[in-house]
Amino acid sequence: MESKYSGYTREQLLERIADLEGQLNKTETDDSELKHKKTKKRDKQRPFDMSKYTKRKIALRVAYIGWNYIGFASQQDPERVPTIEDMLFKALKECRLIEQIDDSVDYTRCGRTDKGVSGLGQVIALWVRSKKLASDPSPGLLPPEEELAYAETINRVLPDDIRVLAWAPVPDDFSARYHCTSRTYKYFFSRGSMDINRMRQACQYFEGEHDFRNFCKMDPSKNIVSYSRLILSMKINPVQHTDTKSVGHGTDFYEVELKGTAFLWHQVRYMMSVLFLVGQGLEPPETIRDLLDIEKVPSKPDFPMASDLPLVLYDCEFKDLEWHYALKDTVYETFPPTMRTYLHFNEAWNMQMIRTLTYQYYLTRIGSFPAVMSDKSIKTIADLMSERKPKRADGTVVVPLGAGKETRMTKYKPVLERPRCDTDETKKEKYQIRKKRKLDTQEEMI
């Protein structure tokens, strides 16, 4: 089949090409101008006017994996010191739910989790924009089913390791900190050579109201008046849905479930540290009773904190809060928004499980490697691990710190015989002296 250009001369073809190139250039120019106009139009859009809307106070239930953050509470330096709150504040602003975090939003949090600690039941509260217009003359607040989809909206802009699970309408005077009736933590650990029954016996000493100054990190600048805290319950149970028997001896996992009304700085991790010593048979359960006796032990002996990785703020309880998990959580939907959140964490779980399985195969393979004994007999590494004791024949002691970490001591010294830090009163006195010295120096410089 002949082309329509078959009869064209060379000059006619060149002229036609030049004409087509001109049309193409004109189209590209028109497209560029159109894009520029659209961009210019967007740039000229008026800023979002928050005053057109009413506000309401809400609580948000937040879940987060804390491994990549320097704690929950903002340190006012998100680039250098990223925290969970920084990500939440950024998302709330981006969604035009707040303008700034200041006194006007009356922001409160249920608790401050440390660096690396995760949360499933963290709760925050603040004033946010409502869907109801300021010009709407109707009284009262919008019912939840007519309100903004707070959880879904915020989740669209949050990082993958943070999600809002639900929201609840709250009274104007609601405080996520002071209206919380209890907080529950979970701490996961592999059994190793620890005696779970001894640990359970020790947990009973923690229950009730005690002075926990020997199980926390003191900050004299906070001027804490009372270190008394109420532990409602402390239990140790096997972790459900895990079967690691084939991996090796002591690889079965347990969880400590700790419920209390409030906690001090690093309190749970210090409690776990001593609990591990009891489980190893290095301390009697009564050591915990003695450490809670402030007249007998007025200041904290020198012992380390347990790892942050296995600790999760599992739940925070409140009275009379009605949580809403989706905008239409009373209406049938083929794909509810909460399923999207489930699938999001399901993907992360699958990735972590694949990593776990990979490491498990490494352990089982290396566990089969031979090791020569002093009598020239052969044992496997798995055999040696099953025979491993907290105290070795040469006197070396192995002390677990959680998350598979451990420290070794050439000679173990009981906790109550170790050097002790300053008492609370001495720490506060020293802090005031340092503070006065700093002020005096600043005045001299002026």
Side-chain angles (χ1 to χ4, degrees), residues 4 29 49 119 130 164 166 186 227 242 289 301 361 381 389 424:
K4 67 177 181 178
T29 302
D49 189 356
S130 170
V164 173
K186 288 199 176 189
Y227 292 93
T242 59
R289 178 198 61 195
Y361 278 113
I381 298 300
K389 304 296 181 184
D424 179 49

Side-chain angles (χ1 to χ4, degrees), residues 228-240:
S228 179
R229 295 294 185 270
L230 175 61
I231 301 301
L232 299 171
S233 64
M234 190 171 185
K235 302 174 182 177
I236 302 179
N237 294 307
V239 174
Q240 299 297 312

Side-chain angles (χ1 to χ4, degrees), residues 93-210:
K93 292 175 187 176
E94 192 171 335
C95 295
R96 302 292 193 269
L97 294 178
I98 61 170
E99 290 181 298
Q100 294 294 331
I101 288 291
D102 53 25
D103 293 341
S104 66
V105 300
D106 192 24
Y107 173 81
T108 55
R109 70 177 80 86
C110 187
R112 299 168 62 108
T113 51
D114 303 326
K115 176 181 178 295
V117 177
S118 299
L120 182 59
Q122 177 70 275
V123 173
I124 64 173
L126 74 169
W127 287 88
V128 296
R129 174 173 65 90
S130 170
K131 189 177 181 180
K132 182 180 179 181
L133 295 172
S135 57
D136 187 340
S138 61
L141 301 169
L142 290 176
E145 63 272 13
E146 295 179 17
E147 202 31 289
L148 292 170
Y150 288 115
E152 297 97 305
T153 301
I154 301 170
N155 284 339
R156 291 190 186 101
V157 295
L158 281 172
D160 288 343
D161 46 10
I162 307 174
R163 281 295 178 271
V164 173
L165 301 181
W167 76 278
V170 295
D172 294 355
D173 63 350
F174 178 83
S175 167
R177 178 183 179 186
Y178 294 112
H179 285 86
C180 180
T181 58
S182 71
R183 298 158 173 87
T184 300
Y185 282 91
K186 288 199 176 189
Y187 195 101
F188 304 103
F189 66 95
S190 56
R191 179 171 57 83
S193 58
M194 289 185 280
D195 185 331
I196 300 300
N197 288 329
R198 280 174 58 90
M199 296 174 73
R200 285 172 174 153
Q201 182 183 348
C203 286
Q204 296 176 13
Y205 288 111
F206 279 125
E207 292 180 342
E209 187 167 359
H210 305 283

